[in-house]
Amino acid sequence: RKGYGFEFDVIKRFSERHKDFRVYIHTNVEGDAGATNLYELRRELGLEDRVCFSRPAGPLGETERYMGDMYNAFDVLLHCGVAEGFGLPVIEAQASGTPVVANACTSMTELLGYGSYGAQPLADFIASTCSRIALPSVENIFDALEAAYNDWMNGRTEREKVRENVLRFEQDGIYENYWREILASAPLPVKFQDGPRKLMLASGKEVKEGFVHHDREKLWPHIEAVHDLNIFPWPWEDNSWDYIEASDI
C-alpha cells in the first residue's frame, strides 16, 4: 500500500543525477506479513550510501518530539502510497513546514498545498469491492521530486507558507466548524434502571428480561433504543454496558 517499490525506483533514478541528498525511511524495514524487505531492496538497487532507516522499533513507540524533529529535518517528504486514506504523514510534514511530493490520488489531491507537488498516477484499477488502487508513475514522481529539489536549491520554498496550508486541519478548528454542531444534534443517552446494564442490539421482535432493546426502527413496542448503527455517534457513552448481545446484525 505504501508503494515502496515505486519509491525506490524514483530514488535510484534521482541518485543517478544528484549526489547531495540522503533518504530516511520511517517504517518496519524487515517487512512483516509478506511485505517487502527494504534492506534487501536497498541492496538490490545499490542504494546503501543513500538510504537509511528508522530504528528497529520502526514507526511504533517514538515520541512526539522525535517525530517533530524528524519532519523538521526533512527538505521534502516523498509519499508514493497507492491506496492512502486521509494521509496523516502528508499533513504532519506540511505542519512542520516540509513540502510533499505525492502520488496524486485519494485524499492527497486535497491535502497538498503551497510548495508541494502531486504526481499524476500511471493508471488505476479496482482491487476489490470499494477499493481502487492508483499505480504511481515513476516518471511523474521523479519530475515532481526534481521540481521540489529545484525549489530547495534556489531558496524558493517558504516553510511557514507550507505550514499555512494545513492549519485548516487544526483540531480545535475542526471541532468548532464541524463536530460541535454534529454532537449537539446527537440523541440523548438511553436511561436504564439500576442493576446489570445489558443491551440487546438489533433485537427485532425478541424480548429478553433485564435488557435495553435496540433496533434500527421501532417496529415493536419493546424497542427502547432506536438508532441506525451505521450513523455516528451512537447514543451511548463508552462503558455504558456490562453486557451486550448482538446476534442478528
Side-chain angles (χ1 to χ4, degrees), residues 2-39:
K2 298 300 182 182
Y4 287 124
F6 300 97
E7 186 173 274
F8 271 73
D9 263 350
V10 172
I11 295 168
K12 178 65 174 178
R13 183 181 296 190
F14 199 78
S15 71
E16 293 169 351
R17 181 175 295 185
H18 305 285
K19 303 303 179 185
D20 57 343
F21 78 98
R22 293 294 183 272
V23 178
Y24 171 86
I25 299 179
H26 192 82
T27 189
N28 180 1
V29 184
E30 295 183 350
D32 289 346
T36 302
N37 186 310
L38 299 184
Y39 286 126

Side-chain angles (χ1 to χ4, degrees), residues 91 163 166-177:
I91 294 294
R163 185 174 182 274
V166 295
L167 293 179
R168 54 198 166 111
F169 299 111
E170 194 271 333
Q171 64 181 17
D172 289 342
I174 291 288
Y175 177 78
E176 290 296 334
N177 294 330

Side-chain angles (χ1 to χ4, degrees), residues 61-206:
E62 299 293 4
T63 64
E64 290 185 11
R65 175 63 183 271
Y66 179 94
M67 298 300 292
D69 288 347
M70 178 189 75
Y71 281 120
N72 276 283
F74 293 163
D75 294 304
V76 66
L77 175 73
L78 179 59
H79 192 285
C80 296
V82 301
E84 195 63 45
F86 180 66
L88 274 177
V90 173
I91 294 294
E92 292 169 344
Q94 292 176 96
S96 301
T98 299
V100 177
V101 170
N103 188 27
C105 63
T106 64
S107 64
M108 302 303 101
T109 57
E110 302 174 32
L111 303 183
L112 299 178
Y114 164 85
S116 295
Y117 291 89
Q120 186 67 25
L122 178 66
D124 62 82
F125 64 93
I126 296 175
S128 63
T129 305
C130 299
S131 296
R132 186 174 288 275
I133 300 295
L135 294 176
S137 165
V138 171
E139 181 175 356
N140 291 344
I141 291 177
F142 173 78
D143 289 343
L145 190 60
E146 275 287 311
Y149 176 82
N150 288 329
D151 288 345
W152 172 75
M153 284 289 292
N154 293 288
R156 289 195 293 260
T157 302
E158 299 178 37
R159 295 182 71 95
E160 188 58 37
K161 290 184 67 174
V162 173
R163 185 174 182 274
E164 289 175 1
N165 170 59
V166 295
L167 293 179
R168 54 198 166 111
F169 299 111
E170 194 271 333
Q171 64 181 17
D172 289 342
I174 291 288
Y175 177 78
E176 290 296 334
N177 294 330
Y178 302 100
W179 279 106
R180 180 181 289 278
E181 181 179 355
I182 293 173
L183 294 175
S185 65
L188 295 175
V190 173
K191 296 183 181 296
F192 45 85
Q193 298 178 349
D194 295 337
R197 303 169 300 174
K198 299 188 290 186
L199 173 66
M200 186 175 183
L201 293 174
S203 56
K205 63 181 180 180
E206 187 173 358

